[in-house]
Amino acid sequence: PSPWILHGVSFSVAPGEIFGFLGGNGAGKTTTLRMVLDIIRPTSGTIQVLGSAPGRRNAQAIGFLPEERGLYAGMSAIDTIVYFGRLKGMDAGEARRRGMDLLTRFDLADRAKSDIGDMSKGMAQKVQLATSLVNDPELLMLDEPFSGLDPVNQGLLENEILRASERGAAVIFSTHVMQHAERLCDRLLLLKKGSKRFEGTLEEARAALPARLVASAKEDLSRIPGVARAASGDGVEDGWHDWTLHLEPGVPAADILEYCTANGIALRRWDEHQASLHDVFVRMVGEEPAPARAEKEIAA
């Protein structure tokens, strides 16, 4: 086995962009984010964060939500947020004001002085999210941020990601739940065992897999240019047949429809089935991504 966790992984994220870092367990997502934070240093290659090498001088402009959540029991919610704000160079008063704004937005203002140890898991996770946002970071990094959140708090987190992007922050989040990536990402990267398998937009990811069509026609649709393979079902009536068409990679369904129109091929049915990000993930990474699901015991 290779001694390297990551193999030549290269990418960049622009201000205001939401970048999805996708891969199965052990793909190298957390390791990459830790290198950006200067927790782990790469044995080769270079990293630039906000124009300079990773280090403490970047801390004031970075927000990070780790996969393994960890807050200090015995501290109140607001004191916890202020503490993290101070670590990032904020004035205590500004950190407290900003912290209360976040707790209000997260419907936790009445729990500002509550001990973290007395909070539900869902509440504590929202406090942890607030610690990553208190400094209005230019770079927001979230490692498996949706893990353990009920659907309401997943929606809250999605809104915060969009809010950060709208104010110009570069947002990177890792996940193996494809539904969130499909809703949020401007671009995404697929990792498998430390190697980059794909980088691009969601549309480009879907286009990497051939489209599938279901159409009804009297003609033989298997000979249309761009059709990789076709299967005809039983006759429907008066010579009409249902066809399932698998297109060649990169051939848009619109080209097939245009060909039919130009060549006088009548159609009664036309259903296009575009590949989902789930399909792309399975094909490129070779494993099933995790489904998004509620966890009732942590609902807040």
Side-chain angles (χ1 to χ4, degrees):
S2 170
W4 310 114
I5 296 176
L6 295 165
H7 316 265
V9 175
S10 177
F11 64 94
S12 62
V13 184
E17 184 176 33
I18 301 175
F19 189 83
F21 210 48
L22 315 182
N25 293 324
K29 304 186 299 295
T30 297
T31 298
T32 302
L33 297 183
R34 286 176 176 173
M35 288 196 295
V36 173
L37 290 167
D38 202 35
I39 297 171
I40 300 172
R41 291 187 174 169
T43 52
S44 63
T46 59
I47 299 172
Q48 276 208 329
V49 181
L50 304 172
S52 61
R56 290 183 60 85
R57 60 190 168 278
N58 296 320
Q60 296 183 18
I62 294 177
F64 179 58
L65 182 69
E67 179 180 8
E68 296 179 358
R69 314 290 196 256
L71 297 175
Y72 301 110
M75 291 181 69
S76 69
I78 186 61
D79 285 346
T80 298
I81 298 170
V82 170
Y83 172 71
F84 277 86
R86 296 285 285 152
L87 287 177
K88 297 172 184 179
M90 296 181 71
D91 172 83
E94 176 63 15
R96 186 169 295 274
R97 183 196 66 77
R98 175 79 177 133
M100 284 305 303
D101 287 346
L102 287 164
L103 289 175
T104 300
R105 199 155 78 218
F106 295 171
D107 199 25
L108 286 176
D110 60 335
R111 302 298 299 269
K113 296 184 179 179
S114 297
D115 190 309
I116 292 293
D118 295 332
M119 289 185 164
S120 71
K121 186 177 179 181
M123 291 178 180
Q125 285 183 296
K126 288 196 281 189
V127 174
Q128 181 108 49
L129 175 61
T131 67
S132 70
L133 296 170
V134 64
N135 59 323
D136 273 341
E138 295 177 52
L139 171 61
L140 177 61
M141 298 195 300
L142 311 164
D143 195 3
E144 295 288 355
F146 298 99
S147 176
L149 292 179
D150 62 76
V152 172
N153 286 330
Q154 287 179 7
L156 181 148
L157 175 55
E158 287 192 4
N159 288 337
E160 290 303 319
I161 288 173
L162 292 169
R163 184 191 293 261
S165 169
E166 287 167 2
R167 65 171 175 76
V171 182
I172 303 174
F173 73 90
S174 75
T175 187
H176 55 281
V177 180
M178 297 300 102
Q179 293 94 324
H180 302 300
E182 281 188 309
R183 284 197 291 269
L184 293 170
C185 291
D186 298 308
R187 287 190 306 120
L188 52 93
L189 182 150
L190 277 171
L191 269 184
K192 180 178 181 179
K193 295 181 179 179
S195 295
K196 182 168 69 174
R197 295 302 174 93
F198 172 83
E199 181 183 0
T201 65
L202 179 59
E203 291 72 23
E204 289 167 342
R206 287 171 170 163
L209 295 188
R212 179 170 63 88
L213 300 172
V214 176
S216 291
K218 290 184 177 181
E219 306 283 344
D220 183 353
L221 302 184
S222 65
R223 299 181 181 180
I224 295 177
V227 173
R229 65 182 192 277
S232 174
D234 295 332
V236 180
E237 59 177 290
D238 299 330
W240 293 90
H241 290 266
D242 280 340
W243 289 84
T244 299
L245 309 177
H246 296 269
L247 308 188
E248 295 174 355
V251 174
D255 285 4
I256 308 301
L257 182 59
E258 183 179 350
Y259 180 92
C260 291
T261 302
N263 289 274
I265 300 175
L267 299 170
R268 272 191 175 180
R269 178 184 178 189
W270 181 267
D271 294 326
E272 179 180 348
H273 299 268
Q274 189 179 38
S276 67
L277 187 54
H278 179 283
D279 299 329
V280 176
F281 187 99
V282 171
R283 178 70 65 88
M284 293 188 179
V285 177
E287 60 184 86
E288 286 286 333
R293 61 180 185 273
E295 297 191 22
K296 295 181 182 178
E297 72 275 9
I298 55 84

